[in-house]
């Protein structure tokens, strides 16, 4: 047995197994990369086009830029902990925030029906400011306010408001159990994820604002704006998809629940 | 003779403990997503449980069984002590440490990412570190299997490697190569994000790398069962192995074909071209060849046993089989489940049929039937067969063993058949709860309830299994005849060089992997802008 050379053309195990695997491979390649693209009518060009398409490499004549006509709802990319929350940033933010006090209150709290910003998630504030500035989110008041802000200004404002004490302590598991169904469980069959899975309670997703203690009228208006498509700066239409599926009762229940927390 | 019995027992006991705990979690999961429960208030608890269940069942339990069985095979088939016993204990220690390190963040809800990781979700770094330790521990086993075979071959030039050892080392090499995909994903992609060095991750590339591991890992789980088919079953039922050579061909083909096929798990993913999906489908179909070779060979071996016991007729010999023998029951149940599971698998690997059942409960049904059913029932049989040799004491509860195997078989059918059915009705998998009052899924409620009761049978079976093994430790001491593997019909004096080593099959395995995975991976690596922000998973605020 020792004398039997394995990797040799005289060894039939070697010859037949390699030949068999190669034949199978060539068969698969011919069908998968040549016949199939032509047969499915996708190639529409040279053999090279067909092979490129089948390999998953857009190229050649059949390549079209699918992003060319894409409507971008928001160009802000949010990542966790992207806002530095050092003393200097908070200090600068506090100074800048003087222009916000008319509507959002002296320390981020007001009775004016505007969003309460004290203790709000920094990334969420930053994203909204960026969207106001670029016009992805429409507001006659906020667009001009955000117009002159630099990127650093927006980060500092976000850091300052996040630093201010929250209106209510974070929810605990027992409190969660008292939440209405739409907040706790959502409606799986209508593709409505539970509010708590992104807005705090069960989990927090980057860029999702805290809703606790926000004015009822504000949450209501925003949910309706998402539902009818007036507001469209949510990443990949996440909130539009949810709000469209929500019933009127669910919208009022959710707004009432979060406003009362 | 049996020097490493403590080592093997340690592997088996930790494996079965992890199995029992994970099984309980599985039954709890079936309960909370059935109409019997009103719905979880916190879906995160469900995913936490699925992560623990999957990690224990996929990484810890089968790896320990394969390792323990592998160490036993070295001594029992090569008839000499295991070389590197200290290293083996070190590998075992790494596995246990890795399991504990991974399970702490999972149980705290800091890594509910499921055992398949699913980037861009990122959990606590210690979860991944624990999994890496488990895999590194198993790599020590791979090295020891290789070294032990090499030393034996050096001392026995010209002698054919015993079939159990040949298959065992084939399984070890398969695992070594297939674990590379997930290892690359964790070490190069996930851990840098989990440790805070990076904040974005290429989820598509991660999925391709994981698919490298995800299908062949099933064949790694399957190897101990197939080794039992060939080398324990014929002896245990009083027959002979029909063909030793066929066994070698089967294991060699598994080595070649189970690796370059994983992309059939991501048929619906956009980042891989259709041509490669087709290629992987072709090679997936090829896995049926060694499977059918095995079914043929083992059925023929069983027929030999039946005819030796006086069975006659074309199919009449089936009645003459020793149906009271646990090994006979186990192999019969295993084949039935393998048959149904394999048929379902052909649907999964067919590009267009896969569209209908992708990400539905059908898939969960499929892999529970194949792995939980056909494979795990043979793990039970292996334990029953080895236990007296490990403890030196009798394992006499034959009736209880039969009940246990029947419970497992019936339970697994009752769990997985309704899952297949509701899967065709498009119930999704990986959902924490369903609104069964919705008319769209109300008709599925009954099937889901049935699976819960199937799960109770499985739980009863597992508890009985543990009970039987524990009783085995307290039985009277006996003197056993020397452990034997199955003898083939024709004694093996010479095997072709190709089937006495692995060089050719490993070369084909690696070559096919490069062809089938090379371009998709290189393309994804070279495409800019494919990374997305990572989504940290874990209980916060």
């Amino acid at each position: 047995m020792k004398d039997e050379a394995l990797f040799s053309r005289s060894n039939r195990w070697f010859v037949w197994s390699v030949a068999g695997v190669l034949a199978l491979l060539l068969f698969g390649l011919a069908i998968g990369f040549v016949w199939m693209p032509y047969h499915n009518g996708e190639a529409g060009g040279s053999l090279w086009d067909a092979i490129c398409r089948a390999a998953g490499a857009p190229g050649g004549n059949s390549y079209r830029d699918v992003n060319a006509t894409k409507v971008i709802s928001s160009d802000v990319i949010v990542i966790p902990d992207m806002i530095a929350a050092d003393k200097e940033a908070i200090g600068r933010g506090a100074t800048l925030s003087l222009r916000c006090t008319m509507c959002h209150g002296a320390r981020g709290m007001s009775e004016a029906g505007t969003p309460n910003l004290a203790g709000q998630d920094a990334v969420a504030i930053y994203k909204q400011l960026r969207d106001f500035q670029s016009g992805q989110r429409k507001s006659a008041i906020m667009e001009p306010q955000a117009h002159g802000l630099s990127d650093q200004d927006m980060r500092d404002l976000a850091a300052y408001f996040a630093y201010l004490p929250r209106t209510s302590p974070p929810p605990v598991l027992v409190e969660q159990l008292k939440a209405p169904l739409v907040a706790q469980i959502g409606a799986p069959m209508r593709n409505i994820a539970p509010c708590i899975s992104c807005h705090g309670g069960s989990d927090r997703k980057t860029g999702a604002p805290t809703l606790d203690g926000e004015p009822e009228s504000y949450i209501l208006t925003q949910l309706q704006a998402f539902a009818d498509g007036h507001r469209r700066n949510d990443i990949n239409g996440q909130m539009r998809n949810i709000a469209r599926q929500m019933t009127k009762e669910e919208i009022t229940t959710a707004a009432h629940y979060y406003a009362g927390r | 003779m049996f020097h490493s019995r403590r080592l093997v027992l340690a592997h088996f006991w930790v494996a079965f403990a992890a199995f029992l705990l994970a099984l309980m979690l599985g039954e709890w999961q079936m309960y909370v997503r059935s109409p019997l429960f009103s719905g979880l208030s916190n879906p995160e608890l469900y995913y936490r449980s699925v992560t623990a269940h999957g990690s224990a069942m996929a990484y810890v339990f089968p790896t320990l069984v394969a390792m323990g069985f592998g160490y036993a095979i070295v001594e029992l088939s090569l008839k000499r002590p295991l070389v590197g016993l200290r290293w083996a204990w070190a590998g075992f220690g790494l596995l246990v440490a890795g399991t504990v390190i991974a399970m702490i963040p999972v149980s705290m809800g800091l890594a509910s990412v499921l055992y398949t990781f699913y980037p861009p979700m990122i959990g606590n770094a210690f979860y991944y570190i624990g999994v890496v330790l488990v895999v590194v521990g198993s790599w020590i086993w791979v090295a020891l299997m290789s070294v032990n075979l090499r030393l034996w071959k050096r001392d026995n030039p010209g002698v054919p490697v015993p079939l159990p050892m040949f298959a065992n080392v084939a399984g070890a090499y398969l695992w070594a190569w297939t674990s590379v995909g997930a290892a690359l994903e964790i070490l190069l992609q996930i851990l840098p994000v989990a440790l805070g060095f990076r904040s974005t991750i290429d989820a598509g590339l991660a999925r391709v790398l994981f698919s490298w591991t995800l299908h062949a890992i099933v064949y790694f789980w399957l190897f101990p069962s197939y080794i039992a088919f060939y080398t324990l079953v014929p002896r245990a039922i009083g027959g002979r192995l029909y063909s030793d050579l066929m066994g070698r061909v089967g294991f060699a083909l598994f080595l070649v074909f189970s690796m370059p096929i994983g992309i059939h798990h991501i048929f619906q993913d956009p980042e891989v071209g259709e041509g490669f999906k087709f290629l992987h489908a072709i090679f997936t179909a090829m896995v049926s060849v060694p499977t059918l070779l095995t079914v043929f060979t083992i059925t023929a071996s069983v027929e030999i046993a039946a005819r030796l016991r006086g069975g006659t007729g074309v199919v009449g010999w089936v009645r003459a089989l020793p149906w009271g023998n646990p090994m006979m029951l186990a192999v019969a149940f295993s084949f039935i489940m393998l048959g149904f599971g394999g048929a379902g698998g052909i649907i999964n690997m067919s590009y267009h049929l896969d569209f209908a059942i992708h990400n539905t409960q059908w898939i969960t049904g499929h892999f529970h039937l194949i792995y939980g059913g056909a494979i795990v029932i043979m793990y039970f049989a292996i334990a029953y067969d080895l236990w007296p040799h490990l403890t030196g004491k009798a394992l006499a509860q034959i009736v209880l063993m039969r009940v246990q195997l029947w419970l497992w078989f019936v339970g697994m059918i009752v769990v997985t058949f309704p899952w297949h059915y509701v899967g065709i009705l498009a119930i999704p998998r990986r959902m924490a709860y369903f609104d069964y009052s919705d008319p769209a899924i109300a008709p599925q409620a009954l099937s889901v309830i049935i699976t819960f009761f199937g799960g109770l049978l499985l739980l009863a079976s597992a508890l009985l299994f543990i009970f039987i093994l524990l009783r085995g430790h307290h039985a009277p001491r006996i003197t056993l005849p020397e452990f034997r593997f199955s003898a083939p019909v024709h004694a093996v004096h010479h095997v072709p060089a190709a089937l006495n080593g692995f060089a050719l099959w490993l070369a084909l395995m690696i070559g096919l992997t490069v062809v089938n995975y090379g371009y998709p991976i290189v393309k994804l690596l070279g495409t800019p802008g494919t990374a997305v922000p990572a989504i940290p998973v874990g209980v916060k605020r």
Side-chain angles (χ1 to χ4, degrees), chain A residues 69-204:
Chain A
T69 55
K70 198 173 159 191
V71 178
I72 295 167
S73 56
S74 172
D75 56 1
V76 187
I77 292 172
V78 289
I79 47 176
D81 307 321
M82 64 189 289
I83 310 284
D86 50 63
K87 273 186 190 157
E88 288 75 23
I90 292 169
R92 287 194 301 268
T95 312
L96 285 166
S97 77
L98 290 174
R99 64 170 83 180
C100 316
T101 52
M102 183 71 87
C103 298
H104 291 286
R107 283 175 65 79
M109 295 292 295
S110 94
E111 301 288 322
T114 52
N116 293 321
L117 298 176
Q120 183 54 275
D121 182 80
V123 180
I125 298 177
Y126 170 76
K127 179 179 182 301
Q128 297 310 315
L129 284 173
R130 284 275 306 268
D131 284 341
F132 281 128
Q133 193 176 54
S134 64
Q136 311 282 9
R137 184 173 174 185
K138 301 287 175 201
S139 164
I141 298 164
M142 282 307 295
E143 279 182 72
Q145 286 291 335
H147 181 70
L149 294 174
S150 72
D151 189 70
Q152 191 58 51
D153 291 344
M154 293 188 274
R155 287 171 186 266
D156 294 343
L157 278 167
Y160 169 67
F161 282 117
Y163 156 82
L164 290 175
R166 275 176 69 159
T167 49
S168 54
V172 292
L173 193 69
V174 182
E175 280 180 50
Q176 247 185 59
L177 297 173
K178 299 179 202 152
L181 274 187
V182 68
Q184 268 196 62
I185 296 189
M189 288 309 289
R190 278 178 288 141
N191 229 358
I192 300 178
C195 310
I196 60 167
S197 64
C198 295
H199 292 283
S202 158
D203 202 357
R204 289 293 308 255

Side-chain angles (χ1 to χ4, degrees), chain B residues 333 402-412 454 457-458 460-461 464:
Chain B
F333 291 154
R402 287 210 291 264
V403 172
Q404 189 264 326
L405 294 169
W406 269 105
L407 277 175
W408 191 262
F409 172 66
V410 174
M412 196 49 82
L457 296 182
L458 294 179
S461 174
L464 195 54

